[in-house]
Amino acid sequence: MSVGKLPVIDLTPMRAGDEFHKRALGDALREACVHTGFFYVAGHGVPQALIDRVFAASKAFFDQPMADKRKVDKALSAANRGYEFLGGQTLEPGAPPDLKEGFYIGEELAEDDPRVLAGAFNMGPNQWPAGVPDFAPVMMEYYGALLELSREIMAALALSLELPEDYFEAFCTEPLATLRLLHYPPQPAQPLPGEKGCGAHTDFGGVTILLLDDKPGLQVWDALNERWLDAQPIPGTFVVNLGDMIARWTNDRYRSTLHRVINTSGAERYSVPFFYSGAPQHEVRCLPGCLGEGEQPKYAPVTVEGHLREMYRRTYV
């Protein structure tokens, strides 16, 4: 393994910068998206106090007895909300199940919401654990903060593509997004062949905003040098990566990069990814400026929901 230097992008200019500094941010972001598809973001505006409360509530949930966690098993939810047991997912084909347990949260919708009644993809009420005080309000406050940060990142991505800052505004209207709490026990001293916290994979959707604790474990594939890079936690930042939909949207100009987790810290490890996929019926079609002379789009136009359903079908069926 190798310690890589993923770029750090300061998002402050998106809120307080002039056009010169916004263009400079866009140029730096373009370099990151073309070469790695992974970067840290600083100047994100999410309060550290809120982040601390999210980690505390997450740890409190996972510390509960299994019987209590099973009361909110995501198998009980038509919208894929709730608890996923240790080994409940295998992200890397041919590898053993992932050494992690999780909890899924989405937009809070009532059973009689028109989108729920229409059977919209992954939409419905959340399941909330009864034994963790303030769990729901803390997570929904963080969910709202990450929605705003995602819109800001999409605006920065528009600038990186030399598009108007508001180009993705419709994409960011009533978006699909999933907050996921993850707990990784220490890597076994004698793991099964290929066994790891999280198997090598790319993300399906738009952008992923990953909150790390202080434990190492995240590794990003460096295709140019054919090696895994250790993405060490940097206090005060998030790790952001692009999903398959952004690669498709840019005709593979921007990268959706393989990554995995191996918790060699010897301690319990926690992380919180936020998957932002955008408005379900928004059309994903090759973006202006992403075709060279004589080049054709590699992918047919598709809606966000259509893309996600296809990705789920390939992975889970």
Side-chain angles (χ1 to χ4, degrees), residues 87-111:
Q89 185 177 44
T90 305
L91 280 170
E92 185 175 331
D98 294 348
L99 290 170
K100 68 181 188 305
E101 57 180 341
F103 192 91
Y104 291 78
I105 300 164
E107 182 182 0
E108 185 63 74
L109 296 174
E111 292 280 8

Side-chain angles (χ1 to χ4, degrees), residues 209-285:
I209 304 174
L210 176 62
L211 174 62
L212 299 174
D213 67 5
D214 59 354
K215 309 297 190 302
L218 175 64
Q219 297 178 338
V220 177
W221 181 243
D222 176 2
L224 181 63
N225 297 297
E226 296 187 339
R227 60 179 182 171
W228 289 100
L229 301 177
D230 292 315
Q232 302 287 0
I234 299 178
T237 69
F238 292 102
V239 175
V240 174
N241 66 280
L242 307 180
D244 297 337
M245 192 166 63
I246 298 295
R248 177 178 186 144
W249 220 341
T250 60
N251 218 38
D252 291 333
R253 180 182 176 188
Y254 280 9
R255 290 180 179 271
S256 176
T257 302
L258 278 172
H259 51 287
R260 67 185 189 182
V261 172
I262 303 178
N263 181 19
T264 57
S265 69
E268 307 296 315
R269 180 181 182 273
Y270 300 86
S271 69
V272 186
F274 182 81
F275 302 100
Y276 188 80
S277 297
Q281 299 310 310
H282 192 82
E283 184 180 63
V284 176
R285 175 188 294 270

